[in-house]
Amino acid sequence: MSHYTPLEEIAAIHTALNQGFRSGKLKSIAYRKQQLLSLAYLIKDNAERFQEAFAADLGRPVLEGAFLEIDGSITEIKTALNSVDKWAKTERPPFSLTWTPMRPAIRKEPKGVCLNIVPFNYPLWLVVSPLAGAIAAGCAMVVKPSELTPAMGALLAELFAKYMDPDLYRVVNGAIPETTKLLDLPWGHILYTGSGRVGKIVAGAAAKTLSPVSLELGGKSPVFVDPKCDLTVGARRLLWGKFVNAGQTCVAPDYVLVPRDFQDTFVAALTEAYNAFYPSGPGASTSLTHIVSSAHTARIKRLIDETKGKTVLGGEADVERKYVAPTVVRDVGPQDSLMSEEIFGPVLPIVPVDSLDEAIAFVNAREHPLVLYVMSQDSAFKSKVFDNTQSGAAIANEYIIHCGVDGLPFGGIGPSGNGYHTGKFSFDMFTHLRAVLDSPGWIDRILGARYPPYDDKKLKAVAALANTKLPPRNAFKFQGEKKR
Ligand code: NAD
């Protein structure tokens, strides 16, 4: 690809950004704000060009581009702009008679020059959300867009050069060789968003340079369906969450667990919502994003072709046009093709179960998902699911948009990732908490007992400094929680 960053330039970019970082420009909060605002205008001034890039790379409708990425990216930057003064303030630990005289404090310091490796599916928001936090934290950053979104990669490279300080913020375009070259270098922090397969490669490379790393991965996010739910609203929201961006969303509901005797009613509700979304059939719809590549289309088509379940809605796939119709498949078993990997496409398998306990055991036997969804109006059902499972997020009666909710962390657990971003969590990801202390001379009147030569009097004085008294051995009585 002609716009890939030449391999031999990568080390020079790293050096230039380290020099830029050490210049101290970013110590100024005003300069961070200026760069944040410039990033916001980079998006606002060029919203139409971003829409063109979404259309070229993903065949994405304008509404999805605006709602899922452009608007959210700008609000993310505004949050950082409005909060950076507060976030960056030095903090003091709680008062302590022993330590407070030493003026202990926690300085919020930038980790340095950071790296953000971005996947294809949200090619703007996944650049901007971490970058806003990195700028607010006072870090420099290299952004590596996905090679599967070349129009976005080229646009970001062009606009970064125009809007952002080139000593601090650069785009490196490329695929595996370029990313490998980047990963050979030490970074203040690496954020990788993408598949677990590549996540292992990134974590391994980061270990070699002892660069701290956060992994935002994916997986199969389940939906637990309770017959006691608002089925009309629930069906509409579920299909939207699954089919928006053609299912290429890390937090998309991957599959549904439904009581066996509720499956017919559930499918009928999905059919009604489906027909309302695509009144002339999905083939005629202009409200669908396409699959990013022919290879991914062929992969999803294979999953549909090999399923032993019954396709009740959609099912068509055209590799050449990178098109997969929104599809619902019922009576899917645990060993089915559709359960073999993260689908990352507009296909919803329904797995019938005989009890809620069976559904919980089904999820707990698999890797912790990025999100666990519940469709229910019954608080006992919701609590039972949330209390007996682990996942990145636990969401009732809504899909996907929790990532945009102010103040909520966005991140996985175990195989679905580690570390959090959005808002203050992005700032924290790129911030080092530097412990500082400045001890006055008179403290030795209290702490002088630490100096040799040691004697019994000093031993007693040292022992008196720390209060090591414990509560009685049986102070906390645990009788076991009642099983719900
Ligand atoms: P991917 O892992 O194929 O690619 C992501 C990035 O890694 C790209 O920039 C790519 O160039 C780079 N890369 C690919 N192979 C590499 C290698 N061998 N060495 C070094 N770098 C390499 O992921 P994708 O297909 O673009 O995205 C889909 C996955 O991302 C899904 O699993 C999805 O769930 C996950 N995802 C997670 C989040 C989240 O925030 N948790 C968000 C979006 C996507």
Side-chain angles (χ1 to χ4, degrees), residues 117-122 126 144-148 174-176 179-180 183 192-199 201-202 216-219 249-251 296 342 344 370 410 416 421:
I117 305 174
V118 183
F120 72 80
N121 61 338
Y122 288 90
L126 288 167
K144 211 300 282 172
S146 169
E147 63 275 31
L148 295 181
I176 296 178
T179 317
T180 306
L183 288 170
Y192 166 79
T193 304
S195 63
R197 183 186 65 79
V198 177
I201 297 172
V202 172
E216 297 286 353
L217 310 175
T249 304
C250 52
V251 286
H296 272 292
E342 180 179 358
F344 224 57
L370 188 55
F410 176 42
S416 53
H421 70 83

Side-chain angles (χ1 to χ4, degrees), residues 88-94 98-110 432-440:
K89 259 211 172 78
T90 296
E91 281 178 22
R92 304 243 164 233
T98 317
W99 306 119
T100 299
M102 295 184 187
R103 300 186 286 267
I106 304 160
R107 280 168 63 136
K108 312 286 187 65
E109 300 217 345
H432 170 60
L433 301 180
R434 195 174 186 194
V436 297
L437 205 69
D438 183 358
S439 184

Side-chain angles (χ1 to χ4, degrees), residues 70 76 80 104 107 148 150 189-190 192 221 224 290 307 438:
I70 294 179
E76 189 77 29
R107 280 168 63 136
L148 295 181
H189 196 96
I190 299 170
Y192 166 79
S221 295
F224 287 75
H290 69 52
T307 182
D438 183 358

Side-chain angles (χ1 to χ4, degrees), residues 100-381:
T100 299
M102 295 184 187
R103 300 186 286 267
I106 304 160
R107 280 168 63 136
K108 312 286 187 65
E109 300 217 345
K111 287 188 176 174
V113 182
C114 299
L115 172 64
N116 181 13
I117 305 174
V118 183
F120 72 80
N121 61 338
Y122 288 90
L124 177 63
W125 189 72
L126 288 167
V127 167
V128 172
S129 166
L131 180 57
I135 298 173
C139 290
M141 181 169 260
V142 166
V143 170
K144 211 300 282 172
S146 169
E147 63 275 31
L148 295 181
T149 49
M152 179 60 73
L155 182 60
L156 288 170
E158 177 198 323
L159 296 178
F160 265 53
K162 204 163 141 197
Y163 283 80
M164 306 304 291
D165 184 337
D167 296 343
L168 299 168
Y169 304 107
R170 296 275 192 100
V171 173
V172 166
N173 272 306
I176 296 178
E178 292 73 14
T179 317
T180 306
K181 197 96 187 159
L182 286 166
L183 288 170
D184 283 341
L185 300 163
W187 299 93
H189 196 96
I190 299 170
L191 169 62
Y192 166 79
T193 304
S195 63
R197 183 186 65 79
V198 177
K200 288 177 192 165
I201 297 172
V202 172
K208 291 202 180 122
T209 58
L210 292 179
S211 301
V213 60
S214 298
L215 302 174
E216 297 286 353
L217 310 175
K220 290 182 86 63
S221 295
V223 184
F224 287 75
V225 174
D226 176 10
K228 277 187 253 158
C229 65
D230 183 340
L231 196 51
T232 307
V233 172
R236 195 190 312 147
R237 289 185 184 172
L238 171 62
L239 289 194
W240 175 76
K242 181 72 194 191
F243 297 150
V244 73
N245 205 31
Q248 300 165 111
T249 304
C250 52
V251 286
D254 188 274
Y255 66 97
V256 188
L257 294 158
V258 180
R260 203 174 293 280
D261 57 6
F262 190 61
Q263 195 179 201
D264 289 345
T265 313
F266 183 66
V267 168
L270 292 184
T271 306
E272 203 176 316
Y274 189 97
N275 291 336
F277 282 3
Y278 315 113
S280 312
S285 174
T286 53
S287 304
L288 292 173
T289 290
H290 69 52
I291 305 301
V292 71
S293 67
S294 316
H296 272 292
T297 315
R299 178 185 61 79
I300 300 163
K301 182 176 184 315
R302 179 181 53 76
L303 296 179
I304 299 174
D305 289 347
E306 289 177 4
T307 182
K308 302 268 187 306
K310 184 164 179 254
T311 300
V312 284
L313 294 164
E316 306 79 27
D318 181 339
V319 174
E320 214 164 287
R321 285 196 300 126
K322 296 186 276 188
Y323 169 76
V324 176
T327 296
V328 175
V329 184
R330 62 173 288 169
D331 290 308
V332 171
Q335 307 305 331
D336 198 84
S337 56
L338 291 169
M339 295 305 292
S340 63
E341 61 183 56
E342 180 179 358
I343 295 172
F344 224 57
V347 185
L348 185 69
I350 301 171
V351 180
V353 287
D354 290 318
S355 68
L356 179 53
D357 287 332
E358 183 190 327
I360 289 171
F362 187 93
V363 168
N364 285 340
R366 289 162 172 76
E367 294 184 336
H368 301 325
L370 188 55
V371 196
L372 183 146
Y373 293 107
V374 169
M375 191 192 287
S376 174
Q377 295 300 324
D378 177 0
S379 48
F381 184 97

